[in-house]
Amino acid sequence: MLFRISAVVVTLLASVTIASAHTPLCSCFDNGDNTITCEGGFSDGSSASGVAMHIQAANGKVLLEGKMNENSEFTFPKPQGDYVVAFDGGDGHQIKVPGNEIAK
Amino acid sequence: MKTKLITLLAGATVLCSAAVASAHFQMIYTPEMAIVKGGTIPLKLVFTHPFEAGHTMDMAKPEQFFVVSSRGENEPKRTDLLETIKPITWTSLTNSGKAWETSYQVRGGDHAFCLVPVPYLEKEEDAYIQQNTKVIVNVGGEPGSWNQPVGMAAEIVPMAKPYDRWTGNVFQGQVLFNGKPVPNAEVEIEFMNHKPQLESNSFAKEAEVVAPQDAYVLQTIFADANGVFTFGIPRAGWWGFAALGVDPEYKFQGKECSLDAVIWIQAKDMK
């Protein structure tokens, strides 16, 4: 019985280790045609397809919501004024990219 | 008469040892292999002797120059760059040679720049040399297909990311000929000892290190039975690896041609 519990604990620890061994990545580029493309992914090369994306105004208001497509990309119209791109890959996997740091 | 012959022989020996002391290395150079944010990067294609910033050979327009870009699990994409390159003159510490340059806009992931030059005739040896060369640039830290072959006839496939090595790490690569490992391949290694200066298309005059003896200028190691070689990286900077003559039968225009595979890494100090 004790052995079984230990085995479960070990398994849990192992899966926690795997989950934290990769970090989320999100880079955004100005396409020069009034659109922005954000590329998402993880440091181990795994896909970010389906990860939720939010575009927020400076006052926190959500301007746009969407998801990373099958190529782990999200393209949206460039908002007027200041904005922040939020990549929401769940707990510990969130990234915010300020709009004024996005270059061509 | 006898004296003359001896003088000639002595002269020939000096020429030979000069040729052995440093090796030909095909360079694809850009200042940074691990780029934080995307943008346009400069690329210089130079065929030279990097440790000593020595004799730079004239490069004809290459047979192939392309980039394989990949990010995460996306399908790698190949882009031909041959028509984007422009001729330049590269100045070494001893001469000038014909070289090429271009620039390329990179976004996230791995970008494997691959060059297949036209074989170069080494007149003294009456033989050709052709170095298929690869440099992998990464943007943003998200890996792509850096450890996959791109399909050049002679190729070194890295077994560690060439752009993420700390000083003191090892670098391992596998030497392939037509996709198959080359057992016991001979691999020459040189440190880029004079910083390339992109504005003036030349090497810096100052050397970073002084070789205590000629053997240190050009190090030689051998791959194992699977074509895998291992090198401990003693210093930050660019290191070139050239697997020599992966096809002993290879000929170009009826003459012997050394078909080599080259890869470069860029190591950084922990600080």
Side-chain angles (χ1 to χ4, degrees):
Chain A
M1 181 60 191
L2 187 63
F3 172 75
R4 277 193 194 163
I5 291 170
S6 302
V8 169
V9 170
V10 167
T11 311
L12 281 175
L13 280 173
S15 55
V16 167
T17 307
I18 289 163
S20 63
H22 67 218
T23 53
L25 298 162
C26 182
S27 305
C28 302
F29 302 91
D30 188 329
N31 295 318
D33 60 358
N34 289 319
T35 65
I36 304 289
T37 295
C38 295
E39 300 177 335
F42 293 91
S43 57
D44 63 353
S46 59
S47 170
S49 177
V51 167
M53 299 293 291
H54 313 284
I55 316 301
Q56 295 168 338
N59 63 8
K61 187 185 163 198
V62 175
L63 302 173
L64 195 67
E65 288 183 298
K67 282 181 177 175
M68 284 285 176
N69 69 12
E70 68 278 10
N71 290 327
S72 306
E73 287 180 4
F74 181 63
T75 300
F76 58 94
K78 187 177 177 176
Q80 301 288 325
D82 290 344
Y83 65 97
V84 173
V85 179
F87 171 98
D88 188 1
D91 286 348
H93 285 159
Q94 286 150 334
I95 295 178
K96 289 195 170 174
V97 182
N100 60 11
E101 290 180 11
I102 296 174
K104 279 184 188 172
Chain B
M1 179 65 195
K2 204 173 171 185
T3 320
K4 265 190 190 168
L5 183 63
I6 289 169
T7 313
L8 270 176
L9 280 174
T13 313
V14 168
L15 279 174
C16 277
S17 53
V20 171
S22 67
H24 300 65
F25 264 85
Q26 177 64 56
M27 281 168 41
I28 302 173
Y29 184 78
T30 189
E32 183 56 61
M33 281 192 205
I35 297 166
V36 177
K37 285 187 173 183
T40 301
I41 61 167
L43 293 155
K44 307 277 182 177
L45 315 179
V46 183
F47 191 34
T48 189
H49 295 78
F51 189 90
E52 294 172 321
H55 189 79
T56 295
M57 284 68 72
D58 284 337
M59 274 183 78
K61 188 166 182 180
E63 280 181 18
Q64 297 178 41
F65 183 51
F66 59 94
V67 59
V68 177
S69 298
S70 54
R71 191 177 67 81
E73 297 175 26
N74 296 348
E75 199 62 30
K77 196 177 121 208
R78 178 172 164 148
T79 307
D80 189 6
L81 301 177
L82 192 58
E83 295 315 314
T84 71
I85 62 172
K86 293 184 174 58
I88 56 169
T89 300
W90 189 268
T91 305
S92 75
L93 299 191
T94 60
N95 79 327
S96 297
K98 289 177 187 158
W100 299 85
E101 70 175 3
T102 189
S103 59
Y104 185 69
Q105 192 169 13
V106 287
R107 288 191 172 184
D110 290 331
H111 304 273
F113 294 94
C114 303
L115 175 66
V116 179
V118 170
Y120 172 83
L121 179 62
E122 187 71 288
K123 288 196 183 98
E124 290 80 9
E125 295 175 21
D126 196 32
Y128 286 91
I129 176 168
Q130 184 181 34
Q131 297 196 323
N132 294 358
T133 302
K134 183 157 68 177
V135 163
I136 304 176
V137 166
N138 177 271
V139 180
E142 187 181 358
S145 60
W146 60 272
N147 60 349
Q148 298 300 312
V150 297
M152 291 190 289
E155 182 171 354
I156 293 175
V157 175
M159 298 173 74
K161 292 170 187 164
Y163 51 79
D164 82 347
R165 300 289 83 194
W166 294 112
T167 310
N169 276 159
V170 297
F171 175 68
Q172 287 188 300
Q174 187 178 36
V175 182
L176 301 183
F177 169 54
N178 284 341
K180 294 198 176 66
V182 181
N184 313 313
E186 181 178 358
V187 179
E188 291 187 336
I189 303 157
E190 273 198 37
F191 178 62
M192 197 182 283
N193 196 23
H194 294 258
K195 205 173 165 54
Q197 297 174 319
L198 298 196
E199 290 76 26
S200 56
N201 288 327
S202 63
F203 285 115
K205 287 201 169 54
E206 305 74 39
E208 283 192 37
V209 299
V210 176
Q213 190 245 34
D214 266 0
Y216 292 82
V217 171
L218 170 69
Q219 295 181 292
T220 301
I221 59 174
F222 288 86
D224 67 13
N226 296 314
V228 174
F229 65 85
T230 304
F231 179 73
I233 307 159
R235 187 181 176 88
W238 280 57
W239 290 87
F241 300 82
L244 306 182
V246 300
D247 177 14
E249 310 295 313
Y250 190 53
K251 287 203 161 36
F252 182 75
Q253 296 189 343
K255 294 183 198 294
E256 266 182 50
C257 182
S258 182
L259 179 61
D260 304 347
V262 172
I263 194 166
W264 288 88
I265 67 167
Q266 184 181 23
K268 303 246 167 82
D269 287 332
M270 293 188 92
K271 56 184 179 186

